[in-house]
Amino acid sequence: MTSGTAKWVYTFGDGKAEGKSQMRDLLGGKGANLAEMSNLGLPVPPGFTITTEVCTAYYENGQTYPAELKAQVAIALEQVGAITGKTFGDAANPLLVSVRSGARASMPGMMDTVLNLGLNDATVAALAESSGDPRFAYDSYRRFITMYSNVVLGVEHHAFEEALEHYKEGKGFDLDTELGADDWKHLIEKYKAIVVEEHGSPFPQGAEDQLWGAIGAVFDSWMIPRAKKYRELNAIPESWGTAVNVQAMVFGNMGDTSATGVAFTRNPSTGERALYGEFLINAQGEDVVAGIRTPQDITEKARLEAKSEKPSMERAMPESYAELTRIYGILETHYRDMQDMEFTIESGKLWMLQTRNGKRTAKAALRIAVDLAGEGLITQEEAIARIEPGALDQLLHPTIDPKAERKVIAQGLPASPGAATGEIVFNSEDAETLRKAERKCILVRIETSPEDIHGMHASEGILTTRGGMTSHAAVVARGMGKPCVSGVGSIRIDYKAQTLTVGGVTLKAGDRITIDGSTGQVLQGEVTMLAPELSGDFATLMGWADAYRTMKVRANADTPTDARTARDFGAEGIGLCRTEHMFFEGDRIIAVREMILADDAEGRRAALAKILPYQRQDFVELFTIMSGLPVTIRLLDPPLHEFLPHSDAEVKEVMDATGIAEDRIRHRMRELSEFNPMLGFRGCRLAIAFPEIAEMQARAIFEAAVQAAQETGAPVTPEVMVPLVFSRAEFDIVKARIDATAKAVSEETGKAIGYQVGTMIELPRAALKANEIAATAEFFSFGTNDLTQTALGISRDDAATFLGPYTQKGILAADPFVTIDQEGVGELVRIGVERGRSVRPDIKLGICGEHGGDPASIGFCQEVGLDYVSCSPYRVPIARLAAAQAALGKVSAKEG
């Protein structure tokens, strides 16, 4: 390459390569790994990669290529020809190639592939002669016409499928393998006629025209809807672009000594250390992943477990199996991670077509990370960084109770673990509709295609009647953490009638089924589920994470059930107990309404006296469950009108229970109604206007602390939190009441009470005045839900209507209620931390908004120096792992 000329093409093959695995940004994941395998001396068919920079330039310049590209591709093709001893486009000795996409992040099945490129009416005859197998040559040509016409010319696949099925029926054939060379020749003419009819011009015969058509189609497929949807769901930037890999063809369909397959170096569902995968004899790669033919097992052990009659690769092709085992050992040691490999055996010789870090379930990810650390391939720190915290969510969800009665109606392959129940839907649009209506569904398809990505995302689980363990449905479901059962051949689906039929049972759309992705069973109706077991590898990895993290993880918990769940998941206290949730239960709501309807402080105190024993008992339970751990209790926060009756029936109920006249109740309802309750009479404003409310709550807290300490023998140090302050003056007024109540309870019980009074920083002014507030407040908890609402002027309840365009247009990097807006809301938190600590260096700082359970936000909390995060109980393990990664300065890498 002359100096000054941009390099757009990188070659590989024959034991060497111009690229390497570290160049994935430029070469894409597939291209980088093909180069790496070549450098390792593994058998890789020679080829070249057109870089992702070409994709970017292509879209920046009105879908045109850089000037030097054509010449660079021609030189690379010559090199591939020299290695293979063949010439691209030569009628007598043609080089045939595959053209595949390869983005920086793995996007399985999202973009297009073309195999057997270079075949035409002349070269097919040369292939028939050189292979000595005319049937193979014409079978390859018909596959190429089908694939190229679909991907490049936009001719629908089913047009060719129908012609093939019609021909087979006429001949009395069941299988494609029954067709001979003359049958395929006849069909090729039919296929070419279909192309003219559907596309308007003949199928291209020139090899160079074919190649540039395929390269263009791969670049164009970067922008198709399913690829865009996948990028959106997996946070992959559009600017990354895709590379194009052009590689000499090797054929798995050259008879019984040829095959193609997909293998994982460990089981992607369980993490077990054993070669796992499928292959097909006399087939091409698309046959395995597209789920058109049901594949065979690679190992004899797997064949026996699956009770399959078809021979395993270990039995049928022992030499190739031994070579694959040797190579898998090299690759796993080299990449220090579980690999997902594609291979082809051509006339007994094994060729490696791809390797990448395999997608896996969370359960498998944990086991693989822990095992690799145990095997000395990675460190504990690397094991912690390997797990995406959000993926732990998969482990915290139910499985089917083994004691439950199972009405099994069908058996398929256990493609992605976990269990799910929902209404049957037969298409992705219906799945999205039900999701919006908050109804759970199972997406049932003959086979999923990349077009179904949005429906798979919207459903609880996926069921397909075709396809194996490495089909599109299986791979995508595992990546999403959703249960999937594939290859349920006994089920017949009628899309038109919206029914599925199996063994005399017919179910229609809307009927409920349960799928068990761990056993492959399909069950009629709903089934009892069990809570997850969080021991073994999970406990090991979480133990390592806890040793490395510096921030504590607490839970937002208001009930004993929440508190117990949080403790089971490893919470180190309660960071937010919302006391108002306790006000709505049973008889309490009547007393609360009496208090609100009272005319004076005396009447309010009388009603509050009825609530006090309930509140005290609530706190005793929480302090007992959290024995010895901190509990932060927020004083009453919502506006009082939320507790008042809303319907005529409720008004009558209040009249009957309290004896208060209807006109007085309705007058009070009118008096307390507000235009904007979020910014209204709530939070510390209630305690300032009605100090008796804060006094009753403080008394309940302190009496409970004394009682729980006596009963458990463990000290209780409650943290009383004053909500929604914007000034020190407000805080001091409420704190004085709390301190006075603590003193009174201490004198009455004769017990010293340790406690702290702090505040929630949830208004911008509070963050700015944090130095003044910290003079008397002993802790801050950043209430980032309200801080986001007040800083951005966005109501959380209404944001969904316009936030979509904001994130799509890049105005906001993410939904600010999911991931903290670091530049604005984050800046307020940073100011609050710095100013608070400038006055009180040892002030305890935490966060209790939803962001406390979001891995990206937890990284920010570590950076600004918070002492703890608090989140919902089910997100505690996620927060523990994310906090460890933040402490190690690592963010878990996406598998690719």
Side-chain angles (χ1 to χ4, degrees):
M1 203 68 46
T2 59
S3 63
T5 304
K7 185 168 174 63
W8 304 108
V9 175
Y10 287 73
T11 60
F12 57 84
D14 208 19
K16 55 185 183 296
E18 293 183 309
K20 55 187 177 185
S21 64
Q22 289 83 354
M23 294 166 68
R24 63 184 301 126
D25 292 4
L26 183 68
L27 303 178
K30 187 173 293 184
N33 287 331
L34 285 168
E36 192 75 1
M37 285 198 292
S38 294
N39 287 326
L40 287 170
L42 299 180
V44 175
F48 57 89
T49 301
I50 300 172
T51 69
T52 57
E53 288 177 349
V54 175
C55 187
T56 308
Y58 179 73
Y59 282 107
E60 282 174 356
N61 296 289
Q63 284 164 280
T64 58
Y65 298 116
E68 311 94 338
L69 183 65
K70 233 168 186 157
Q72 291 183 22
V73 166
I75 293 165
L77 267 173
E78 274 177 35
Q79 258 182 272
V80 176
I83 295 170
T84 58
K86 295 170 183 175
T87 306
F88 188 64
D90 184 70
N93 186 22
L95 168 67
L96 304 180
V97 297
S98 64
V99 179
R100 288 183 169 92
S101 65
R104 193 190 302 190
S106 175
M107 294 172 60
M110 291 299 117
M111 291 181 297
D112 291 322
T113 292
V114 179
L115 303 178
N116 309 318
L117 191 141
L119 281 175
N120 56 31
D121 294 348
T123 55
V124 69
L127 183 64
E129 193 176 324
S130 66
S131 66
D133 186 350
R135 187 204 169 278
F136 148 72
Y138 289 96
D139 176 28
S140 299
Y141 190 21
R142 69 91 191 182
R143 287 169 184 267
F144 172 53
I145 293 172
T146 307
M147 199 179 260
Y148 189 93
S149 302
N150 179 240
V151 168
V152 183
L153 308 178
V155 181
E156 289 294 333
H157 213 276
H158 64 76
F160 303 106
E161 285 292 311
E162 280 169 18
L164 175 56
E165 290 306 316
H166 184 69
Y167 184 80
K168 286 199 304 201
E169 274 173 32
K171 288 280 193 174
F173 294 153
D174 286 328
L175 302 171
D176 294 2
T177 44
E178 293 174 63
L179 278 71
D182 290 338
D183 297 311
W184 287 126
K185 281 180 185 174
H186 175 85
L187 274 163
I188 284 162
E189 294 311 310
K190 178 84 184 127
Y191 282 11
K192 289 197 288 190
I194 290 170
V195 173
V196 172
E197 192 181 317
E198 297 283 329
H199 179 58
S201 56
F203 187 81
Q205 292 289 314
E208 198 164 325
D209 294 340
Q210 293 174 357
L211 178 64
W212 287 99
I215 290 169
V218 171
F219 284 139
D220 288 340
S221 72
W222 180 248
M223 290 298 193
I224 58 178
R226 68 181 188 224
K228 283 183 167 181
K229 184 72 180 176
Y230 189 92
R231 289 201 293 273
E232 184 190 316
L233 293 176
N234 291 278
I236 297 168
E238 198 169 272
S239 59
W240 282 4
T242 181
V244 178
N245 297 291
V246 178
Q247 201 172 7
M249 278 298 299
V250 286
F251 295 96
N253 57 336
M254 284 183 78
D256 290 342
T257 59
S258 300
T260 188
V262 174
F264 291 84
T265 59
R266 298 183 191 227
N267 185 313
S269 288
T270 66
E272 183 193 354
R273 189 183 183 185
L275 197 59
Y276 169 100
E278 301 167 322
F279 82 118
L280 278 171
I281 290 175
N282 196 17
Q284 282 201 332
E286 293 303 297
D287 298 345
V288 179
V289 291
I292 294 160
R293 277 169 62 186
T294 300
Q296 294 156 241
D297 296 294
I298 286 186
T299 64
E300 190 60 13
K301 182 171 175 272
R303 183 193 73 79
L304 293 170
E305 280 171 12
K307 300 182 176 63
S308 170
E309 299 299 311
K310 294 181 174 177
S312 65
M313 182 176 164
E314 191 173 353
R315 273 284 163 84
M317 299 179 151
E319 295 88 355
S320 296
Y321 175 79
E323 173 71 344
L324 182 66
T325 305
R326 179 186 79 83
I327 288 169
Y328 115 63
I330 292 170
L331 287 173
E332 195 173 85
T333 305
H334 180 75
Y335 282 101
R336 302 186 312 126
D337 202 354
M338 179 260 266
Q339 295 300 291
D340 165 2
M341 310 171 293
E342 288 176 25
F343 63 89
T344 285
I345 300 161
E346 181 183 272
S347 305
K349 174 162 173 62
L350 179 81
W351 292 94
M352 299 304 295
L353 303 183
Q354 173 159 316
T355 193
R356 60 184 171 201
N357 291 349
K359 293 206 177 293
R360 65 206 75 181
T361 61
K363 183 181 176 184
L366 281 171
R367 178 164 176 185
I368 291 166
V370 170
D371 283 356
L372 288 173
E375 291 160 27
L377 276 178
I378 62 174
T379 63
Q380 282 185 12
E381 291 99 314
E382 285 173 308
I384 292 165
R386 287 273 171 99
I387 311 297
E388 202 167 332
L392 294 180
D393 211 21
Q394 292 174 35
L395 303 175
L396 312 177
H397 293 293
T399 48
I400 292 174
D401 184 343
K403 294 197 273 301
E405 189 191 335
R406 291 177 177 237
K407 192 174 181 190
V408 180
I409 53 171
Q411 176 72 48
L413 298 169
S416 183
T421 294
E423 298 176 47
I424 295 170
V425 292
F426 291 103
N427 62 65
S428 292
E429 288 64 40
D430 289 350
E432 285 209 308
T433 303
L434 286 194
R435 170 79 175 261
K436 281 177 186 143
E438 295 187 352
R439 284 158 61 188
K440 296 182 171 181
C441 67
I442 304 290
L443 180 64
V444 179
R445 303 284 293 157
I446 293 169
E447 58 195 333
T448 62
S449 78
E451 310 292 344
D452 289 311
I453 187 86
H454 59 294
M456 295 174 79
H457 190 249
S459 61
E460 299 299 304
I462 298 109
L463 169 64
T464 67
T465 62
R466 279 196 202 155
M469 304 282 277
T470 50
S471 65
H472 174 264
V475 172
V476 175
R478 282 199 294 269
M480 287 182 173
K482 290 181 189 281
C484 174
V485 174
S486 63
V488 194
S490 58
I491 288 179
R492 291 282 164 272
I493 292 175
D494 184 334
Y495 286 140
K496 204 168 182 185
Q498 294 270 289
T499 58
L500 73 79
T501 308
V502 58
V505 177
T506 297
L507 300 174
K508 56 190 186 303
D511 288 344
R512 300 184 82 77
I513 56 168
T514 299
I515 60 169
D516 186 345
S518 305
T519 64
Q521 289 180 341
V522 183
L523 299 89
Q524 196 170 346
E526 287 197 45
V527 183
T528 317
M529 302 281 187
L530 271 194
E533 269 293 310
L534 299 177
S535 54
D537 300 317
F538 179 90
T540 302
L541 192 99
M542 294 313 282
W544 295 346
D546 290 342
Y548 282 103
R549 70 184 162 86
T550 54
M551 280 191 299
K552 298 280 188 193
V553 175
R554 300 194 196 180
N556 300 341
D558 316 325
T559 65
T561 307
D562 282 350
R564 281 190 203 96
T565 304
R567 263 217 102 147
D568 289 345
F569 284 151
E572 296 161 302
I574 292 176
L576 175 64
C577 168
R578 307 172 185 88
T579 50
E580 60 273 5
H581 289 186
M582 303 164 167
F583 279 33
F584 285 100
E585 285 186 27
D587 301 335
R588 308 176 187 198
I589 189 71
I590 297 294
V592 173
R593 286 167 173 169
E594 263 185 73
M595 184 267 295
I596 296 168
L597 294 165
D599 288 328
D600 52 26
E602 199 177 325
R604 283 193 291 274
R605 285 185 198 282
L608 287 163
K610 295 179 186 176
I611 304 167
L612 174 65
Y614 293 123
Q615 278 264 280
R616 182 172 55 229
Q617 190 48 40
D618 288 329
F619 297 140
V620 167
E621 285 192 66
L622 288 182
F623 292 148
T624 303
I625 293 164
M626 286 291 159
S627 178
L629 295 174
V631 176
T632 305
I633 297 163
R634 181 178 74 185
L635 298 181
L636 190 64
D637 183 43
L640 294 179
H641 67 78
E642 283 194 13
F643 301 100
L644 286 177
H646 297 292
S647 64
D648 292 345
E650 283 184 349
V651 169
K652 188 175 181 315
E653 203 181 295
V654 175
M655 286 163 58
D656 293 346
T658 62
I660 298 170
E662 181 178 355
D663 60 342
R664 205 172 121 206
I665 295 171
R666 292 200 181 274
H667 173 71
R668 191 75 172 122
M669 285 163 68
R670 282 192 298 275
E671 233 179 14
L672 287 173
S673 73
E674 293 179 294
F675 282 115
N676 194 341
M678 193 197 106
L679 303 178
F681 187 19
R682 55 168 283 216
C684 66
R685 297 155 199 179
L686 294 171
I688 287 167
F690 304 126
E692 50 278 7
I693 298 177
E695 280 173 18
M696 180 280 290
Q697 290 198 294
R699 177 167 282 277
I701 291 166
F702 296 134
E703 288 180 355
V706 170
Q707 188 181 329
Q710 278 177 322
E711 289 173 8
T712 63
V716 176
T717 307
E719 300 174 353
V720 185
M721 184 152 73
V722 181
L724 212 75
V725 304
F726 60 66
S727 69
R728 175 182 167 178
E730 290 170 300
F731 177 75
D732 286 354
I733 288 169
V734 181
K735 183 176 186 293
R737 291 279 177 166
I738 295 165
D739 289 341
T741 307
K743 188 166 181 269
V745 172
S746 183
E747 284 169 1
E748 289 160 23
T749 58
K751 301 283 182 191
I753 300 169
Y755 67 97
Q756 289 189 331
V757 185
T759 186
M760 227 167 159
I761 304 286
E762 49 196 324
L763 295 174
R765 192 180 191 276
L768 297 173
K769 291 290 175 185
N771 49 338
E772 292 178 13
I773 298 169
T776 46
E778 293 167 282
F779 66 86
F780 288 167
S781 180
F782 290 92
T784 50
N785 300 349
D786 270 356
L787 192 56
T788 298
Q789 296 194 97
T790 52
L792 296 179
I794 293 177
S795 158
R796 186 162 59 152
D797 301 320
D798 303 319
T801 54
F802 59 85
L803 270 186
Y806 265 62
T807 51
Q808 284 154 18
K809 289 180 166 52
I811 299 166
L812 287 168
D815 180 334
F817 294 105
V818 175
T819 296
I820 197 162
D821 157 40
Q822 291 193 21
E823 292 177 13
V825 178
E827 187 64 16
L828 287 167
V829 172
R830 211 183 285 273
I831 289 167
V833 169
E834 287 167 4
R835 294 187 182 174
R837 285 213 169 116
S838 71
V839 171
R840 188 185 290 266
D842 62 345
I843 190 167
K844 192 185 292 182
L845 301 171
I847 182 176
C848 60
E850 291 299 311
H851 300 111
D854 168 60
S857 306
I858 289 168
F860 170 77
C861 295
Q862 173 82 26
E863 188 198 320
V864 296
L866 298 192
D867 298 305
Y868 69 88
V869 297
S870 189
C871 56
S872 66
Y874 274 89
R875 293 197 77 78
V876 165
I878 294 168
R880 287 164 64 196
L881 180 57
Q885 291 181 353
L888 290 166
K890 293 174 183 171
V891 179
S892 125
K894 276 198 163 48
E895 307 303 347

